[in-house]
Amino acid sequence: MPLNFMKITRSALALIFIGFASNALAQDGTIYPMDNPDEPNAIVLGTGGVENQPAQESWFRQWGDPMARNITTATLTPFLPDPEKATGAAVIVAPGGGFRWLSLSNEGWKVAQALADQGIAAFVLKYRLFPTPESLEGFTESMNRTFAEATPREEGEAEAAPAPTRERRMAWSLDNQLEDAEAAYTLIVNNAEKWGVDVSRIGMIGFSAGAGLTMHSTLNSEIMDLAFIGPIYGGMNAVEVPKNAPPMFNVIATDDFLFNGQFGIIESWYKAGIPVEFHLYQNGGHGFGLGNPDRTSNRWFGSFMYWLEVNGFLNK
């Protein structure tokens, strides 16, 4: 990975985790334990486990949405369209969660079903995560601690934020997640005829940390040949764009902590001469998925579908 992107990734990951830690600890976002649900259609990708991870995968519910953490086995869940509506296009969907958990319903299953309803074969990528404490109480405490360590100090404060330990610096590596994304792409290609997929029209969209994984895959994978990408409320820092980079559809709201008045990634794509469409919404915050009531960002999915149509990705 290019050194400049390593720096950007670490910064973006810190911001993403701060934002999720803050939201998860909000009074109206109380987290509740839940039993692990059945996932009958999930296909194990066989990419291995997670080093130094003693805890088992567990699930919790927040704002009514099921979420998973301590994921050590990556899977891919297909949402296939009605054959009469199928366009041949396919999308890998990467949910977010600060790489500590996955918002599998709000930013995964619901999005995949919406895509399938439009004739697009969608595949929810349940990728491996960084370890969190086994108990829900320990999970909450670790988030409190990480949030406190990562919060920038006010000018003049005597105590500086502690420098990241070697273990934490190593934790920024997205090698596992990239391997999972590549395995998902390969599985789709190998089953293209069975699933009615045109391999020249496989794209990837992701939300928050999933947007980071989408971008990381675009910039670093030597296996994935994505036709288009859609980072949804992801990091906005400038990147070094490969010559063969795919067209990009990018969405974020002005009141999202990841925006902060930055347009670097948009400028990077524009200066590289790669097609890019950017939607900066007045409001929506962070983590809105397909949309929240009374927010201007609620129309992004329709705009995304129209963008795919205009660019020829939905031609049967």
Side-chain angles (χ1 to χ4, degrees):
M1 184 193 307
L3 180 60
N4 62 335
F5 187 64
M6 282 287 287
K7 294 178 180 177
I8 291 168
T9 299
R10 288 171 181 166
S11 174
L13 289 179
L15 284 171
I16 287 169
F17 189 47
I18 289 171
F20 271 100
S22 178
N23 288 338
L25 297 172
Q27 192 171 9
D28 60 348
T30 304
I31 57 179
Y32 301 94
M34 63 173 283
D35 293 335
N36 293 14
D38 292 330
E39 299 175 84
N41 298 323
I43 302 169
V44 175
L45 292 173
T47 49
V50 175
E51 189 177 355
N52 298 322
Q53 170 57 289
Q56 298 293 315
E57 177 181 316
S58 62
W59 289 65
F60 63 93
R61 194 176 295 277
Q62 184 183 29
W63 295 297
D65 289 322
M67 306 187 188
R69 62 191 184 92
N70 290 330
I71 295 171
T72 57
T73 301
T75 66
L76 192 69
T77 301
F79 286 72
L80 302 179
D82 184 325
E84 294 185 1
K85 296 179 63 176
T87 62
V91 175
I92 299 170
V93 181
F99 296 104
R100 296 304 196 278
W101 67 88
L102 290 185
S103 179
L104 278 162
S105 178
N106 182 49
E107 298 172 346
W109 303 331
K110 291 179 180 178
V111 175
Q113 187 59 60
L115 289 165
D117 290 343
Q118 298 296 321
I120 300 171
F123 302 86
V124 177
L125 175 60
K126 182 181 172 185
Y127 51 88
R128 287 172 289 173
L129 300 175
F130 299 147
T132 61
E134 186 168 6
S135 72
L136 203 56
E137 294 77 11
F139 174 52
T140 303
E141 290 174 4
S142 72
M143 290 168 59
N144 268 323
R145 188 166 54 252
T146 302
F147 179 57
E149 291 177 358
T151 301
R153 305 284 174 164
E154 295 293 334
E155 186 176 352
E157 280 191 87
E159 184 182 355
T165 63
R166 178 177 180 273
E167 290 74 16
R168 181 162 296 169
R169 287 197 304 271
M170 291 175 65
W172 292 131
S173 169
L174 296 184
D175 290 349
N176 282 351
Q177 291 78 7
L178 177 58
E179 186 180 4
D180 296 342
E182 290 178 334
Y185 178 87
T186 301
L187 183 65
I188 296 169
V189 170
N190 290 342
N191 289 274
E193 184 175 354
K194 172 184 174 182
W195 289 334
V197 170
D198 177 354
V199 296
S200 68
R201 289 186 284 145
I202 301 175
M204 183 173 182
I205 65 172
F207 300 80
S208 190
L213 177 55
T214 299
M215 188 57 56
H216 185 72
S217 300
T218 301
L219 302 182
N220 295 278
S221 178
E222 297 181 359
I223 294 174
M224 303 173 73
D225 185 14
L226 297 170
F228 56 87
I229 57 171
I232 312 300
Y233 45 83
M236 296 296 292
N237 288 339
V239 297
E240 195 172 315
V241 183
K243 292 182 179 179
N244 62 342
M248 176 173 66
F249 180 92
N250 195 297
V251 171
I252 202 164
T254 61
D255 56 354
D256 189 322
F257 68 94
L258 283 180
F259 172 54
N260 199 30
Q262 298 181 67
F263 301 91
I265 196 168
I266 308 304
E267 292 177 353
S268 297
W269 243 251
Y270 175 75
K271 290 178 180 178
I274 309 295
V276 56
E277 177 151 336
F278 177 50
H279 291 253
L280 177 62
Y281 289 100
Q282 175 186 334
N283 51 37
H286 190 78
F288 49 76
L290 286 175
N292 291 324
D294 303 319
R295 299 292 186 271
T296 61
S297 57
N298 284 6
R299 302 294 179 91
W300 77 265
F301 185 77
S303 297
F304 176 56
M305 293 306 304
Y306 186 61
W307 180 79
L308 292 174
E309 179 184 346
V310 169
N311 283 278
F313 294 119
L314 303 185
N315 295 336
K316 292 189 177 181

